[in-house]
């Protein structure tokens, strides 16, 4: 029933999104303040900080901190939104699209929401720890202890992002701006996820950030899709709602659902999901989670865009050619469902 109501409430927006709404020049962007800071972090001492003679090998560095950039609009403010990127990417995911259109970070600010964009721990401007690499390089550790770092190649990422089943084929009606794909590939960075301690330091950092802000919607994508749920399980303080976009995983339906009771949750998927073995099971798991969460008193909803007439969206739907129309759907949902914050 909740899914039916959601689809009905978004019907008019869906029609415009399917038609790719034309938008006038929004004019100058006026903000009250902007800046950046870090949350989390810990100091570690190491004897393998460097293998270069010009830099000492021993010393203390700070690691596991999470970089945060923010903008706060003028006037009456909506609930803050925190944007959490996925695998092999950084906070750039949410900024200007590869073909030069407005990103969700600016769009949400223009719609009165203070917006916080993070770089996951050990990614982008959130520093990693080189000690293990240098330990192997200097012969102080065996090669088997060399950390695992991976990158997603263009060809492999093609199917992961559902541009097409095989590179360079495209899905029928696919809405990603492939003419600008060269700019998208420049956003990709090496991923050190497998080297992080457990729990992933990004999760407690998100909890600290939510409390520092005083209340926020945690909006995640792909690899980070599970992080807001893990953050809520750690503490509900400061979490006003969760929007998980094409999560790599939802909580399993057999887990404790108490952390999500009464918490507004929206899980969003684009098109072609059932045609990709990587994604179909993840959608099925999220369906089961939504049912389990609601059975335990949750306020969880699942939206699959083709179900409301919006077709052609890829895994990178915040950059698809109808990205701002999708943003409107999310803003509409937040405005109707996110009202209280646990302090």
């Amino acid at each position: 029933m909740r899914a039916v109501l959601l689809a009905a409430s978004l019907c008019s927006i869906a029609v415009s999104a399917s038609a790719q709404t034309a938008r006038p020049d929004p004019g100058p962007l006026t903000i009250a303040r902007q800046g950046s800071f870090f949350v989390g972090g810990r100091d570690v001492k190491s004897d393998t900080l460097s293998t270069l003679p010009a830099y000492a090998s021993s010393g203390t560095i700070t690691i596991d901190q999470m970089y945060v950039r923010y903008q706060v609009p003028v006037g009456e403010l909506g609930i803050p939104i925190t944007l959490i990127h996925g695998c092999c990417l950084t906070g750039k995911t949410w900024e200007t699209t590869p073909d030069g259109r407005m990103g969700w970070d600016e769009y949400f600010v223009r719609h009165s929401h203070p917006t916080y964009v993070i770089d996951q721990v050990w990614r982008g401007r959130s520093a990693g720890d080189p000690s293990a690499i240098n330990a192997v390089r200097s012969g102080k550790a065996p090669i088997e202890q060399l950390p695992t770092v991976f990158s997603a190649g263009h060809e492999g990422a093609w199917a992961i992002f559902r541009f097409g089943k095989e590179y360079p084929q495209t899905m029928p009606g696919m809405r990603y701006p492939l003419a600008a794909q060269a700019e998208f590939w420049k956003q990709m960075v090496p991923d050190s996820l497998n080297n992080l301690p457990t729990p992933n330091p990004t999760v407690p950092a998100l909890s600290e950030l939510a409390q520092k802000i005083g209340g926020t919607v945690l909006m995640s994508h792909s690899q980070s899709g599970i992080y807001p749920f893990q953050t809520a399980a750690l503490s509900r303080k400061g979490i006003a709602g969760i929007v998980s976009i094409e999560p790599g995983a939802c909580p399993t339906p057999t887990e404790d659902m108490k952390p999500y009771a009464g918490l507004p949750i929206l899980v969003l998927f684009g098109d072609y999901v059932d045609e990709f073995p990587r994604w179909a099971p993840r959608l099925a798991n999220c369906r089961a989670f939504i049912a389990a969460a609601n059975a335990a008193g949750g306020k969880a909803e699942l939206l699959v865009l083709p179900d409301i007439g919006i077709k052609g969206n890829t895994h990178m739907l915040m950059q698809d050619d109808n990205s701002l129309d999708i943003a409107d759907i999310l803003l509409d949902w937040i405005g109707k469902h996110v009202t209280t914050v646990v302090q």
Side-chain angles (χ1 to χ4, degrees), residues 107-297:
Y107 194 69
F108 292 154
V109 171
R110 287 183 178 273
H111 284 75
S112 301
H113 293 271
T115 303
Y116 296 75
V117 179
I118 70 105
D119 282 354
Q120 287 188 41
V121 170
W122 288 43
R123 198 90 58 81
R125 285 177 281 189
S126 301
D129 183 358
S131 299
I133 295 174
N134 289 327
V136 173
R137 182 176 175 83
S138 63
K140 295 181 179 180
I143 194 169
E144 292 78 13
Q145 294 183 16
L146 189 67
T148 298
V149 179
F150 67 95
S151 290
H154 301 181
E155 297 82 359
W158 196 266
I160 293 174
F161 297 138
R162 299 202 308 281
F163 299 158
K165 293 183 179 180
E166 292 184 5
Y167 180 87
Q169 300 172 3
T170 59
M171 300 300 292
M174 190 270 296
R175 306 196 68 150
Y176 197 84
L178 285 182
Q181 65 177 287
E183 290 303 308
F184 173 64
W185 300 129
K186 294 175 186 179
Q187 297 180 16
M188 306 287 284
V189 299
D191 195 310
S192 296
L193 178 69
N194 293 70
N195 304 320
L196 295 177
T198 302
N200 186 325
T202 297
V203 172
L206 287 171
S207 181
E208 180 180 339
L209 176 62
Q211 295 178 59
K212 179 182 178 71
I213 296 172
T216 183
V217 172
L218 296 178
M219 186 176 295
S220 57
H221 176 239
S222 194
Q223 178 194 72
S224 72
I226 192 67
Y227 296 172
F229 300 104
Q230 294 173 335
T231 304
L234 185 67
S235 174
R236 282 281 295 274
K237 291 182 178 179
I239 302 178
I242 292 174
V243 175
S244 186
I245 299 170
E246 298 231 346
C250 284
T252 60
T254 56
E255 291 181 21
D256 181 10
M257 294 292 120
K258 291 180 182 178
Y260 318 119
L263 181 64
I265 295 171
L266 176 63
V267 177
L268 174 70
F269 277 88
D271 205 350
Y272 318 116
V273 177
D274 289 333
E275 298 184 53
F276 286 77
R278 185 186 192 93
W279 288 107
R282 296 174 177 182
L283 175 55
N285 176 68
C286 287
R287 288 188 190 278
F289 161 71
I290 295 293
N294 288 334

